[in-house]
């Protein structure tokens, strides 16, 4: 607001400075009110000149030192008015209210962050002196000096009671204070003190609040970040209006009061109506016949109204229309003045509410259009039209004729030096282009930045590009992450290095590091470049003292991400990540809060160690096939313990372990192949999460993913032959099922208690504490901890891979439970559809709808209908089973084929997620081939044909899209009662294997691409035929293979299977 805070607008038309004239009047009034000596008067003049001379940041401090020295001399009683040279030393001077008020006003004008506190301390010093309790002198104070008791001297003690000017200076200082969040409240407290002093003092006019008092407080609230700031400002304005209507003309609301209130509302979202209301009130009060001519709006008033439009949805058009009305009214006023031969007085307020726009006016309109474009983008719209309107206004400002020779010849009647683009004009548009995250938008932002550079270099200081504008563009390039991004970032960074006015800072380098972290295709180069850039930042900060490039937590986290994602060598990247974390911890313990790591940092280092700890290149577990070593697991567990220790030591929530951090540890334990007991350690970590949850630690409760990871860890152990893993996986699955059943029972009880009050039930569910499938707090809601498709598949994988006797049958029972839950889901879907049809509304948020009319569609997160992988895993479990001799092998093969036919029937009935495919058929062929194996415990034949997620296995319709019904062989021919000799049983098993292979070939020929036999399929069938010694069967299989290869060569150009 500038100096407008400390003068009333009624003095506007005077050619002399109103503040200077008021200052001289204050001296004269003081002299008339009480006698002062000439030394004090001259002291006040010199004090005022010192307070206004030189740098504002230091002038107030020098003036205060001079004042306090005079107070000390007067308090010690060492002043002799007749002594020579006493005046130059401050002797003979008795500081009065004007002295203190002058210094407080100097603090109000300074930029010192402690200015307001210093001004208020002077106010309290005046009060202590006036009360006779001042003890600031060197000799103890309150002796025989000027400020001692009246009985100690022959003259009365001078009055130092603060007056309105003193309080107003202090209020203005707080209004301009930006460093203290409580500044507005402190200003209003001073206003309350004035009101109390005025009332308790019997109506002492010297401390009566006036318009400046209230306007200063309103201005303080207008600049405050308090959420109630606008309401408090409006309340003070209403108090002024009530007092004015009651006859107190000293508090007549003026332009400053109204404009400051509008400024407060302009910082509130969607408050344009309040700003409009105040503007209309100002125009009504200050118009012809109005009761308050001092409430005339000025250009700042209109600019704040436009700023409120910018923060209100859909008001960008209103903002530009107001701009055009202002321009039209201003031109009409100029034409009238020219026709009447009048000269403009240079004031932008034309006296009748017509205001000439300035740069701030245009910038507010540009901001309004940019905000509208941003809102349209957030809603999925294009937003280009609004952005084009903003650029149109920018071009209008840029092409406007001027008298300074920048444009035009200076003779145009519309020359206007006060309207030209500045950093704000360009900045809003550049920021929005960068936010669009497209190459054309980034290119346009770069063009605008080039335009700013040219304008600045040609002499337009208002267009000096700032570093944050370059940072917008750098971040846009990093977000794009396309083929041109790296070159664009490097080129722009080089430009910044060559610009003294826009040198890169920490944010600039962090954007570059963000891009390095995403450049997977550059491999090791990205990681090495990121580390080199970090070293450069550290060197420039530590050696050259460049504070602006000091690395922080974001910097280090970006480098760690680059090490994790870019495929750097495993051991080196893991060690570097650990080193960076240790540097962060050391700096934090030494007091550098900007380097404080958090749980996200620990998670990133864990991922880097796990993904790179295998020692190879690439982003797949360090080239170790997704497996992690024992040493890697130890490091991850140590990091978890360090994070827990930091949380216990500091109690800082940034170190509080959460579900994400624990799940990261669980994932590494599940992937570890070098530790025999990694699965049990994963379950121990799961138990620790539950203990933290039970102890009240928020955010550390296990979720469904936690249980799924532990079950998968046991599945990995079962595949390695570790005893007890399959049973542990099954136990965890049953535990999850039990938790879901308990939650469902709670919901049923709540339904009975709530009756028909559905809203209360929903509210109760949303506030129930506990665990959910996402680690949240809605344990009682339906579906919480409900085992999903991945939970069941992991348990089935553990049982099928264990090769324990009876494990396949247990896996089959789990599959049947999945089918039962899936059928129940289908019934619920049908009930939901019936409810929708009855109500005539479609609930798009259910996520349970059927796709293409087919039933059994498995949605993400909770649908449990088995898919192709589920059936193939159980079938492969039968194929890999052991024990029971030939009879046991025959029984397992029959069960495997029976399950395959069951899968085919379900697919034909509508379970489109479980189409039978080559993996299931190959597993059944393998099961029949095991009947012919001399050693029924050897399960290595056909290795790799079991639980693999083959490509195309989840297609709902391959080839021509027709569903191929099962052909011959759908009837299962029993071979278990083949007599005492194994010969006939082996022949029958080989026939079954050959029949299944022939069925696959026929269905593939008929257009079912899912049934394309692979090389392992033929190898398994060959093995079954050769063990029987039946050369005819071998020849028939060879003929099938040759026929298939000829068809592939002819139709698809493939030379082999």
């Amino acid at each position: 607001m500038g100096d407008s805070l400390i003068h009333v607008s009624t003095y506007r038309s005077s050619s002399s400075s109103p503040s200077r004239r008021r200052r001289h009047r204050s001296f004269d009034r003081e002299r008339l009110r009480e006698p002062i000596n000439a030394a004090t008067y001259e002291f006040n003049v010199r004090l005022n000149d010192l307070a206004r001379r030189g740098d504002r940041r230091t002038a107030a401090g020098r003036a205060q030192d001079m004042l306090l020295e005079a107070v000390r001399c007067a308090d010690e009683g060492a002043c002799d008015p007749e002594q020579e040279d006493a005046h130059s030393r401050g002797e003979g001077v008795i500081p009065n209210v004007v002295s203190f008020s002058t210094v407080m006003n100097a603090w109000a004008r300074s930029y010192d962050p402690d200015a307001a506190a210093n001004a208020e301390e002077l106010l309290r010093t005046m009060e202590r002196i006036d009360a006779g309790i001042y003890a600031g002198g060197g000799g103890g104070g309150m002796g025989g000096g000027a400020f001692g008791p009246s009985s100690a001297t022959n003259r009365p003690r001078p009055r130092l009671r603060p007056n309105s000017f003193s309080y107003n200076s202090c209020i203005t200082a707080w209004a301009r204070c930006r460093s203290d969040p409580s500044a507005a409240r402190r200003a209003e407290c001073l206003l309350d003190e004035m009101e109390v002093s005025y009332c308790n003092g019997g109506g002492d006019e010297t401390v009566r609040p006036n318009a400046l008092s209230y306007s200063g407080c309103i201005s303080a609230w207008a600049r405050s970040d308090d959420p109630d700031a606008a309401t408090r400002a409006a309340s003070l304005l209403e108090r002024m209006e009530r007092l004015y209507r009651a006859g107190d003309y000293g508090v007549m609301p003026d332009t400053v009061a109204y404009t400051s209130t509008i400024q407060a509302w302009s910082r509130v979202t969607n408050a344009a109506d309040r700003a409009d209301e105040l503007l209309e009130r100002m125009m009504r009060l200050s118009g012809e016949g109005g009761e308050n001519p001092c409430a005339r709006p000025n250009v700042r008033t209109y600019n704040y109204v436009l700023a409120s439009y910018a923060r209100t949805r859909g008001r960008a058009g209103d903002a530009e229309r107001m701009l055009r009305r202002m321009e039209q009214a201003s031109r009409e006023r100029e034409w009238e003045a020219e026709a009447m031969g009048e000269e403009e007085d240079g004031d932008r307020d034309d006296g009748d509410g017509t205001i000439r726009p300035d740069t701030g006016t245009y910038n507010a309109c540009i901001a309004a259009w940019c905000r509208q474009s941003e809102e349209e983008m957030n809603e999925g719209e294009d937003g280009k039209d609004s952005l084009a309107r903003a650029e149109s206004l920018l071009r209008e400002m840029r092409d406007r004729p001027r008298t300074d020779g920048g444009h035009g010849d200076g003779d145009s009647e519309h020359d206007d030096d006060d309207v030209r683009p500045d950093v704000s004009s360009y900045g809003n548009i550049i920021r929005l282009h960068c936010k669009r995250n497209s190459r054309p938008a980034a290119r346009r932002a770069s063009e605008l930045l080039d335009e700013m550079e040219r304008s600045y270099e040609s002499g337009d200081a208002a267009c000096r590009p700032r570093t944050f504008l370059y940072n917008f563009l750098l971040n846009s390039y990093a977000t794009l992450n396309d083929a041109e991004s790296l070159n664009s970032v490097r080129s722009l960074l080089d430009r910044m290095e060559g610009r003294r006015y826009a040198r890169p800072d920490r944010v600039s380098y962090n954007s570059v590091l963000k891009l390095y972290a995403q450049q997977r295709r550059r491999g090791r180069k990205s990681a090495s470049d990121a580390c080199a850039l970090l070293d450069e930042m550290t060197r420039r900060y530590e050696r050259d003292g460049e504070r602006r490039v000091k690395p922080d937590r974001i910097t280090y986290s970006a480098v760690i991400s680059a090490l994790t994602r870019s495929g750097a060598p495993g051991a080196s990247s893991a060690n570097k990540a650990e080193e960076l974390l240790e540097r962060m911890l050391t700096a934090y313990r030494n007091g550098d809060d900007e380097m404080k790591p958090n749980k996200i940092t620990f998670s990133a280092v864990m991922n880097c160690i796990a993904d790179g700890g295998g020692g190879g290149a690439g982003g797949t577990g360090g080239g170790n096939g997704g497996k992690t070593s024992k040493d890697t697991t130890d490091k991850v567990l140590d990091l978890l313990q360090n994070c827990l220790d930091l949380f216990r030591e500091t109690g800082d929530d940034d170190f509080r372990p959460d579900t994400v951090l624990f799940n990261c540890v669980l994932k590494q334990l599940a992937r570890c192949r070098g530790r025999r007991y990694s699965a049990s350690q994963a379950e121990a970590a799961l138990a620790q999460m539950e203990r933290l949850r039970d102890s009240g630690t928020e955010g550390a409760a296990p979720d469904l993913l936690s249980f799924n990871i532990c079950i998968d860890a046991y599945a990995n152990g079962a595949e390695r032959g570790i005893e007890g893993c399959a049973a542990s996986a099954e136990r965890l699955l049953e535990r999850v099922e039990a938790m879901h059943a308990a939650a469902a029972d709670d919901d049923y009880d709540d339904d009975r208690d709530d009756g028909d009050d559905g809203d209360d039930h929903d509210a109760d569910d949303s506030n129930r504490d506990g665990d959910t499938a996402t680690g949240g707090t809605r344990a009682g809601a339906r579906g919480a901890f409900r085992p999903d498709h991945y939970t069941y598949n992991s348990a089935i994988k553990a049982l099928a891979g264990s090769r324990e006797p009876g494990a396949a049958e247990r896996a089959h029972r789990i599959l049947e439970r999945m089918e039962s839950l899936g059928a129940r889901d289908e019934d619920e879907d049908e009930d939901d559809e019936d409810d929708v049809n009855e109500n005539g509304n479609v609930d798009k948020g259910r996520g349970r709808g059927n796709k293409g009319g087919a039933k059994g569609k498995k949605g993400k997160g909770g649908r449990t209908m088995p898919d192709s992988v589920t059936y193939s895993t159980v079938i492969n479990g039968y194929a890999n089973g052991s024990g029971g001799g030939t009879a046991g092998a025959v029984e397992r093969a029959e069960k495997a084929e029976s399950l395959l036919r069951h899968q085919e029937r379900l697919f034909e009935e509508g379970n489109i997620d479980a189409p039978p495919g080559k993996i299931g058929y190959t597993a059944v062929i393998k099961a029949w081939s095991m009947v012919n194996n001399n050693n029924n415990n050897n399960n290595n034949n056909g290795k790799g044909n079991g639980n693999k997620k083959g490509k195309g296995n989840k297609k709902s319709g391959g080839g021509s899209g027709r569903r191929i019904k099962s052909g011959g062989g759908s009837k299962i021919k029993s071979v278990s009662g083949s007599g005492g000799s194994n010969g006939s049983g082996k022949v029958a098993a080989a026939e079954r294997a050959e029949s299944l292979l022939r069925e696959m070939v026929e269905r593939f020929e008929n257009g079912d691409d899912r049934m394309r036999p692979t090389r392992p399929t033929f190898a398994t069938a060959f093995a079954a035929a050769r063990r029987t010694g039946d050369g005819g069967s071998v020849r028939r299989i060879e003929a099938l293979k040759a026929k298939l290869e000829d068809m592939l060569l002819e139709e698809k150009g493939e030379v082999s299977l």
Side-chain angles (χ1 to χ4, degrees):
M1 300 295 294
D3 289 336
S4 60
L5 284 172
I6 56 172
H7 71 272
V8 185
S9 58
T10 51
Y11 299 114
R12 177 185 57 82
S13 60
S14 174
S15 59
S16 62
S17 169
S19 58
R20 181 180 301 173
R21 193 174 60 252
R22 186 170 60 256
R23 206 163 50 242
H24 288 302
R25 285 202 308 270
S26 66
F27 294 156
D28 294 339
R29 286 197 300 268
E30 195 67 34
R31 295 186 67 180
L32 293 174
R33 184 162 53 246
E34 61 181 44
I36 61 174
N37 57 44
T40 300
Y41 181 82
E42 292 301 325
F43 172 79
N44 288 344
V45 173
R46 290 190 298 111
L47 187 65
N48 181 72
D49 291 339
L50 179 63
R52 293 179 172 272
R53 187 190 311 139
D55 186 7
R56 289 186 179 185
R57 299 177 185 273
T58 59
R62 295 195 304 268
Q64 178 167 306
D65 292 341
M66 180 177 175
L67 171 64
L68 294 181
E69 177 63 20
V71 170
R72 184 188 64 79
C73 290
D75 185 51
E76 290 177 352
C79 303
D80 184 2
E82 303 300 330
Q83 184 179 353
E84 183 180 0
D85 202 27
H87 174 73
S88 62
R89 298 195 307 270
E91 298 175 356
V93 175
I94 303 177
N96 58 5
V97 175
V98 175
S99 311
F100 279 86
S101 299
T102 300
V103 179
M104 283 191 284
N105 191 48
W107 281 120
R109 296 174 60 252
S110 75
Y111 300 103
D112 193 294
D114 297 326
N118 292 335
E120 186 168 351
E121 178 58 30
L122 286 176
L123 185 72
R124 304 308 172 197
T125 300
M126 292 176 67
E127 292 175 342
R128 290 193 292 271
I129 292 176
D130 189 66
I133 57 174
Y134 177 70
M142 306 314 296
F147 299 135
S150 298
S151 58
T153 62
N154 295 326
R155 59 182 182 275
R157 182 165 51 87
R159 292 185 57 194
L160 272 178
R161 183 180 182 184
N163 59 14
S164 299
F165 188 84
S166 310
Y167 278 103
N168 288 347
S169 298
C170 216
I171 289 174
T172 301
W174 282 117
R176 294 173 176 174
C177 178
R178 298 297 181 89
S179 59
D180 192 339
S182 63
R185 298 185 183 277
R186 299 286 293 271
E188 191 166 351
C189 288
L190 291 172
L191 175 63
D192 294 338
E193 285 185 26
M194 293 180 70
E195 292 178 338
V196 171
S197 298
Y198 172 69
C199 295
N200 293 342
D204 187 355
E205 293 292 335
T206 61
V207 293
R208 185 173 187 172
N210 54 29
L212 294 178
S213 312
Y214 287 94
S215 297
C217 288
I218 294 174
S219 180
W221 284 114
R223 301 179 181 185
S224 173
D225 293 328
D226 192 288
D228 298 327
T231 304
R232 300 292 290 268
S235 175
L236 287 172
L237 180 63
E238 292 174 0
R239 282 167 61 181
M240 293 182 71
E241 291 177 330
R242 286 197 304 270
L243 291 171
Y244 176 63
R245 287 194 296 268
D248 189 352
Y249 298 104
V251 294
M252 179 175 59
D254 59 1
T255 302
V256 174
Y258 282 103
T259 301
S260 297
T261 307
I262 293 175
Q263 178 187 359
W265 284 116
S266 71
R267 303 182 66 186
V268 179
T269 304
N270 296 324
D273 291 341
R274 303 298 298 268
D276 275 337
E277 177 187 345
L278 287 171
L279 177 61
E280 292 174 1
R281 192 190 309 175
M282 293 178 70
M283 297 178 68
R284 185 178 63 253
L285 291 173
S286 61
E288 292 186 10
E291 59 185 27
N292 187 356
C294 293
R296 192 170 42 247
N298 58 23
V299 67
R300 296 176 66 87
T301 311
Y302 283 92
N303 288 353
Y304 285 128
V305 174
L306 292 172
S308 70
Y309 287 166
R311 296 184 64 90
T312 303
R313 183 179 178 83
R315 299 298 296 271
D318 294 338
E320 186 166 355
R321 282 189 289 272
M322 177 175 284
L323 169 65
R324 302 309 175 194
R325 288 197 301 270
M326 293 170 66
E327 290 178 329
Q328 179 64 26
S330 178
R331 283 193 294 268
E332 292 175 356
R333 175 62 175 169
E334 291 175 3
W335 295 334
E336 290 178 5
E338 183 178 355
M340 298 176 65
E342 297 178 356
E343 294 184 1
E344 294 190 80
D345 60 2
D347 199 308
R348 306 191 62 80
D349 184 351
D350 297 321
D352 56 356
T354 60
I355 307 296
R356 188 188 310 165
D358 61 3
T359 298
T361 314
Y362 278 86
N363 286 348
C365 289
I366 290 174
W369 282 117
C370 288
R371 184 178 181 87
Q372 180 164 310
S373 177
E374 187 173 359
E375 290 173 348
E376 292 170 353
M377 289 166 52
N378 293 337
E379 294 176 355
E381 301 178 13
D382 186 71
K384 287 186 177 180
D385 293 339
S386 299
L387 184 56
R389 290 301 311 150
E391 287 208 50
S392 175
L393 289 171
L394 177 64
R395 287 193 299 272
E396 185 178 332
M397 297 175 70
R398 183 189 60 200
D399 300 336
R400 202 176 178 97
R402 302 181 192 154
T403 57
D404 59 359
H407 297 278
D409 56 7
D411 296 330
S412 173
E413 63 181 290
H414 300 300
D415 286 346
D416 190 353
D417 286 303
D418 293 327
V419 178
R420 55 183 178 181
D422 59 7
V423 173
S424 178
S425 313
Y426 283 97
N428 278 306
I429 299 176
I430 290 175
R431 180 188 64 84
L432 197 58
H433 274 301
C434 293
K435 193 173 182 180
R436 297 183 69 85
N437 294 333
S438 68
R439 175 55 60 176
R443 192 173 295 112
R444 178 55 183 157
S446 180
E447 292 172 357
L448 290 171
L449 201 53
D450 294 341
E451 185 178 306
M452 291 186 70
E453 289 181 346
R454 290 192 298 270
S455 298
Y456 175 68
E457 291 170 0
S458 63
D460 190 352
C463 288
R464 180 172 71 90
R466 307 296 173 85
T467 300
F468 71 88
L469 295 178
Y470 291 91
N471 290 344
F472 285 150
L473 192 54
L474 284 171
N475 186 66
S476 177
Y477 289 145
T479 303
L480 283 173
N481 191 25
D482 57 13
E484 302 178 27
S485 292
L486 193 58
N487 291 333
S488 300
V489 162
R490 287 175 172 172
S491 174
L492 185 58
L493 200 61
D494 291 341
R495 282 171 56 188
M496 296 178 69
E497 293 285 2
R499 303 284 192 271
R500 283 191 168 186
Y501 50 80
R503 298 290 300 277
D505 59 6
R506 178 170 56 198
V507 177
S508 313
Y509 290 116
N510 286 350
S511 297
V512 179
L513 290 171
K514 173 185 174 182
L515 179 61
Y516 284 152
Q518 297 171 346
Q519 293 279 311
R520 291 177 180 269
R521 58 183 175 274
R522 298 183 68 240
R524 304 176 183 179
K525 184 62 175 174
S526 289
S528 60
D529 287 346
C531 293
L533 184 56
L534 174 62
D535 293 340
E536 174 68 13
M537 294 175 66
T538 304
R539 181 190 62 79
R540 290 173 59 180
Y541 168 66
E542 294 179 352
R543 192 188 71 180
D544 303 336
E546 297 185 38
R547 175 75 185 178
R548 68 176 184 278
V549 298
K550 176 183 177 297
D552 62 356
R553 178 172 64 190
I554 299 175
T555 312
Y556 277 83
S557 298
V559 176
I560 292 171
S561 296
L563 291 168
T564 304
R565 299 176 182 176
S566 61
S572 62
S573 63
N575 293 336
K576 185 64 175 179
E578 289 184 272
E579 176 191 340
L580 294 177
L581 178 61
E582 186 60 33
R583 283 163 60 178
M584 294 178 71
L585 289 170
T586 301
Y588 170 63
R589 292 189 177 103
N590 291 335
D592 188 355
D593 289 337
E594 292 182 345
M595 292 286 285
K596 181 179 73 171
N598 56 16
K599 52 196 172 189
I600 299 176
T601 315
F602 278 91
S603 298
V605 177
M606 288 177 185
N607 283 324
C608 185
I609 292 173
D611 292 339
T620 56
N624 199 23
K627 303 176 183 180
T628 55
S629 66
K630 177 180 178 181
D631 292 340
T632 299
T633 304
D634 289 337
K635 290 180 180 179
V636 170
L637 291 174
D638 290 342
L639 285 175
L640 174 63
Q641 188 60 47
N642 290 341
C643 189
L644 287 169
D645 292 342
L646 283 170
F647 173 63
R648 295 190 183 102
E649 291 174 9
T650 64
D652 193 334
D653 285 342
D654 284 343
F655 298 117
R656 184 192 299 273
D658 61 359
T659 304
V660 175
L661 181 64
F662 273 103
N663 284 350
C664 182
V665 176
L666 292 174
K667 181 179 69 173
Q668 311 318 322
L669 291 171
R671 294 169 56 185
C672 181
R673 300 298 199 271
R675 182 185 291 275
R676 181 174 181 83
Y677 301 106
S678 61
S680 59
Q681 284 186 319
E683 189 172 1
L686 180 69
Q688 187 174 11
M689 296 175 70
E690 294 179 315
R691 288 194 296 272
L692 288 172
R693 175 203 61 198
D694 296 339
S695 65
T697 302
E698 297 179 0
D703 57 8
L704 185 59
L705 178 61
S706 311
F707 281 88
N708 286 352
I709 293 173
C710 287
I711 295 173
D712 189 62
Y714 279 120
N716 293 334
E719 288 182 338
R720 298 199 305 273
I722 299 177
E723 185 179 355
C725 284
S728 297
E730 191 174 11
R731 172 177 52 80
L732 280 178
L733 172 63
E734 293 172 352
R735 184 178 170 195
V736 175
E737 289 179 324
M739 286 189 291
H740 169 61
D745 290 342
D746 290 341
D747 285 343
Y748 176 73
D749 294 339
D750 291 340
D751 285 337
R752 289 194 306 172
D753 294 340
D754 294 340
D756 295 333
D757 192 356
D759 293 338
D760 292 342
H761 172 64
D762 292 340
D764 182 67
D765 281 345
S766 65
N767 293 322
R768 187 180 290 114
D769 294 330
D771 306 322
T772 70
T774 58
T777 57
R778 293 180 57 244
R782 190 185 186 286
F785 268 122
R786 174 179 180 172
D788 62 4
H789 171 80
Y790 306 101
T791 317
Y792 283 106
N793 272 9
S794 296
I796 288 174
K797 172 186 172 185
L799 290 168
S802 67
R803 296 178 173 84
E804 297 175 358
E809 285 77 5
R810 288 151 60 191
H812 197 164
R813 286 194 291 271
I814 294 176
L815 184 146
E816 290 173 346
R817 295 209 300 271
M818 292 181 69
E819 290 180 336
S820 176
L821 287 172
R824 188 185 308 169
D825 291 338
E826 291 179 10
D827 294 338
E828 292 177 355
D829 289 339
E830 292 176 357
D831 294 340
D832 291 340
E833 290 177 1
D834 293 340
D835 293 340
V836 168
N837 293 332
E838 290 177 3
N839 297 329
N841 298 317
V842 178
D843 186 0
K844 297 181 180 180
R846 290 181 181 272
R848 288 183 173 180
N850 295 326
K851 183 177 182 179
K855 298 179 182 178
K857 172 101 173 80
K858 174 179 64 64
K860 296 296 182 183
R863 312 309 290 160
T864 53
M865 200 67 181
D867 63 2
S868 297
V869 175
T870 314
Y871 286 100
S872 298
T873 304
V874 178
I875 292 172
N876 200 54
Y878 280 122
N880 291 329
S882 62
T886 301
V890 169
E891 182 181 1
R892 288 191 293 272
E894 290 176 343
K895 289 182 178 180
E897 187 169 355
S898 175
L899 182 57
L900 177 65
R901 302 307 176 189
H902 174 68
Q903 178 186 358
E904 290 177 334
R905 287 193 300 272
L906 289 178
F907 176 68
E908 292 177 357
E909 292 173 0
N911 185 10
I912 63 175
D913 283 325
K918 56 190 174 186
I919 296 179
Y921 271 81
T922 301
V924 176
I925 293 173
K926 177 183 176 182
W928 284 116
S929 71
M930 297 304 294
V931 176
N932 297 331
N933 195 349
N934 291 329
N935 182 6
N936 286 323
N937 291 326
N938 182 5
N939 297 316
N940 293 327
N941 293 335
K943 184 178 180 181
N945 301 333
N947 188 20
K948 299 289 184 184
K949 296 183 179 180
K951 293 182 179 180
N953 193 42
K954 287 193 175 184
K955 292 182 180 178
S956 60
S960 61
R962 303 188 307 272
R963 288 184 178 171
I964 311 299
K965 294 186 178 180
S966 58
S970 60
K971 300 285 186 180
I972 300 177
K973 181 179 179 180
S974 176
V975 297
S976 58
S978 55
S981 172
N982 289 337
S984 60
K986 290 182 178 181
V987 172
E991 291 176 354
R992 291 301 308 137
E994 181 184 346
S995 174
L996 286 167
L997 177 61
R998 190 176 301 277
E999 183 180 343
M1000 290 181 69
V1001 174
E1002 290 176 357
R1003 295 177 67 169
F1004 177 64
E1005 289 176 345
N1006 291 333
D1008 192 350
D1009 286 342
R1010 296 186 308 270
M1011 289 298 177
R1012 172 179 172 175
T1014 60
R1015 183 175 299 171
T1017 310
F1018 281 97
T1020 306
F1022 275 127
R1026 289 193 180 101
R1027 291 191 184 108
T1028 65
D1030 186 356
S1033 177
V1034 173
R1035 287 190 294 275
R1036 288 192 297 273
I1037 295 174
E1038 288 178 344
L1040 280 174
K1041 181 179 179 183
K1043 177 183 177 182
L1044 182 61
E1045 288 180 338
D1046 291 341
M1047 185 186 73
L1048 291 174
L1049 180 61
E1050 179 181 354
E1051 295 183 359
K1052 302 185 178 181
E1054 300 180 17
V1055 296
S1056 67
L1057 294 176

